[in-house]
Amino acid sequence: MNAHDVIADLDPKHGVFVNGRGLGTASMFEVHDPATREVIAEISDGTASEATSAVKAAARAFPEWAATAPRARAEILRRAFDLTVADTDRLVALICAENGKPQADARAEVAYAAEFFRWYSEEAVRTEGSYGVSPGGGTRTIVVRKPVGVAALVTPWNFPAAMATRKIAPALAAGCTVVLKPAAETPLTALAVAKLLAAAGVPDGVVNVVPTTDANCVVSSWLSDDHGRKISFTGSTGIGRMLLKQAADRVLNASMELGGNAPFVVTADVDTAAAVEGAMIAKFRGGGQACTAANRFYVHASVADEFVARFGGAIETLRVGPASDPTSQVGPLVSARAAEGVRALIAQATAEGAVIAHQASAPTDGWYVAPTLLTGVRPDAAILRQEVFGPVAPIVIWHNEDELLCWINDTEYGLAAYIYTGRLQDAMRIGESIDAGMVGINRGIVSDPSAPFGGTKQSGLGRESGRDGMREFQETQVLQRGLRMTRQGSWPAAGALNAGYESVRRPDATMRR
Ligand code: NAD
């Protein structure tokens, strides 16, 4: 499918999507194809004024959407799943054009993104509370879950469809309305998703999208607006930290999916062929530009030569090229800045003594970085301490498990980790000793719409996906009922009001009775 036709159909000149229609703005910004550096669209650039219109529209739509029967919300989300699947080719064309990832990666992303609509169509009708008896026996406690309110969603460019649906689907299932700010690099896919939701029957004002080049202005205006009650952010730890500080001013409910520095552990008794297969996925999906990407490889000394030879061989045969070539396996990085940053990290690592042991060939135009395997990397090397966000695999050799665990946990991040091993008990022992939110065991991918996704330490707060994902968009309310109400409905005498606590305060007296 031709990306230009798909983009024209979206009408990017009215890219700001508020209350079910496109808004033109005073200025426009350019969206580029990372493979060719060509401008593929000019899109309206949201400002504080459009941000305010969007949050007001979401606030107006909230009471009715929150009161819509869960079954009705579920059926709309289910239709969104069907429409997304039916529209796969169009979404793939958009993702390839603005993100640059290969067609196979984009197709996998659309399938993953669609699954959030299906999973949360099933969860929308499973809002549960509880009913409990107080310890003193005099009170009944009913716990209900309610939508938190208008939610501000901020998403990155690396999964332009899935990062949007992973937030929108649980928010809508819970009864929230949303304002979404996609990354300026990839606004077109988010707009296409919003239009699919409208076609599925989402009422006007429930989903609003404000693409902008001034993220700070748009998001700050949402965080300070009295209508907003929630911020759900996916992006770097630095920006997440800053948004948390802003959210603190209004004590907003906050969910943060932040950066990662995933270790990939290979033990002595591993099936190296399987480990290499997993390593290729964990490292090179999306060109290494995933928060869960394997960032540092720890390989047991006894299998290091074999693993490096096989992994290096697989890397050298990777086909690096534009998404327009259906055989490409690794695309360009998202921007010139990203490509320069990764090349600088390789240069720094080699200056510190690492060796480029294997490398694929890559086109010289566009923002490509050749997939690279580094050996001779010291456990304290700078490249291991930060998110590489590119197709580079530094290998560290380990001998001793205690030392390995110290190296692995010596980071501010705790998002994902991978272990390849022949023995389940080793996987469980090492896995539970790693301070990370997700551990893949003999598997190069940890994301699944049914499983809680998120990190520990500075990789984030809260979880997306699974049942936990919907709870992030709900408040808990308690309704307590005293049993001592008289038959006539009047309250008991003042002295009896604390009777429910009696057995707690005077257990002996209660037992004697
Ligand atoms: P980023 O933090 O630069 O941007 C993320 C989003 O925040 C974008 O929409 C951007 O426009 C917006 N933003 C930037 N500055 C802002 C500001 N001052 N105020 C408000 N919003 C602002 O991150 P990125 O480069 O787009 O994405 C890569 C990062 O995202 C990596 O660190 C990666 O690990 C992380 N990420 C995390 C997850 C996860 O689930 N944990 C998923 C994908 C990406």
Side-chain angles (χ1 to χ4, degrees), residues 88 92 95 101-115 159 161-162 285 445:
T88 296
V92 166
I95 294 171
K101 66 175 70 175
Q103 290 180 31
D105 280 357
R107 203 160 284 280
E109 182 186 343
V110 174
Y112 177 52
E115 279 304 328
F159 290 89
R285 192 169 58 105
I445 199 160

Side-chain angles (χ1 to χ4, degrees), residues 4-181:
H4 291 288
D5 295 344
V6 178
I7 292 165
D9 197 36
L10 272 178
D11 192 9
K13 288 206 162 39
H14 296 101
V16 175
F17 185 75
V18 171
N19 209 21
R21 60 193 188 90
L23 299 183
T25 52
S27 60
M28 312 282 284
F29 69 95
E30 293 174 345
V31 182
H32 296 91
D33 178 340
T36 60
R37 310 179 204 197
E38 271 171 27
V39 176
I40 53 168
E42 280 198 51
I43 185 162
S44 51
D45 197 354
T47 64
S49 155
E50 286 79 31
T52 303
S53 305
V55 79
K56 281 189 176 155
R60 275 195 306 275
F62 175 66
E64 198 170 328
W65 183 247
T68 298
R71 177 64 72 202
R73 293 202 297 259
E75 285 176 359
I76 289 173
L77 286 170
R78 175 65 209 211
R79 272 200 296 282
F81 166 74
D82 293 336
L83 291 179
T84 307
V85 171
D87 225 7
T88 296
D89 289 348
R90 208 168 64 91
L91 291 167
V92 166
L94 281 177
I95 294 171
C96 289
E98 62 179 358
N99 170 285
K101 66 175 70 175
Q103 290 180 31
D105 280 357
R107 203 160 284 280
E109 182 186 343
V110 174
Y112 177 52
E115 279 304 328
F116 289 108
F117 290 138
R118 178 153 65 172
W119 170 266
Y120 286 107
S121 76
E122 291 155 354
E123 284 302 292
V125 291
R126 314 237 183 282
T127 291
E128 288 168 358
S130 65
Y131 181 85
V133 181
S134 68
T139 309
R140 299 291 180 266
T141 298
I142 300 159
V143 179
V144 296
R145 313 243 182 254
K146 300 164 74 169
V148 66
V150 173
L153 315 179
V154 182
T155 51
W157 45 264
N158 59 350
F159 290 89
M163 295 303 97
T165 63
R166 197 164 79 179
K167 294 185 190 301
I168 295 172
L172 266 52
C176 295
T177 57
V178 304
V179 287
L180 167 69
K181 193 212 79 60

Side-chain angles (χ1 to χ4, degrees), residues 154 156 158 163 166-167 231-244 254-262 290-293 387 389 412-416 438 453-464:
V154 182
N158 59 350
M163 295 303 97
R166 197 164 79 179
K167 294 185 190 301
I231 167 81
S232 175
F233 171 77
T234 298
S236 59
T237 295
I239 302 290
R241 204 180 278 130
M242 199 191 74
L243 295 181
L244 267 177
S255 303
M256 295 279 146
E257 293 292 345
L258 308 177
N261 182 7
C291 53
T292 51
E387 240 186 333
F389 239 56
E412 68 182 32
Y413 296 110
L415 189 62
M438 299 168 286
F453 184 106
T456 61
K457 298 193 272 185
Q458 295 193 37
S459 285
L461 293 174
R463 294 292 181 268
E464 292 192 318

Side-chain angles (χ1 to χ4, degrees), residues 48-49 51-57 59 150 179 218-230 246 250 252:
S49 155
T52 303
S53 305
V55 79
K56 281 189 176 155
V150 173
V179 287
V218 165
V219 178
S220 300
S221 83
W222 288 340
L223 297 183
S224 58
D225 192 299
D226 285 343
H227 294 107
R229 285 303 329 143
K230 163 99 196 169
Q246 288 181 30
R250 292 188 48 251
L252 289 183

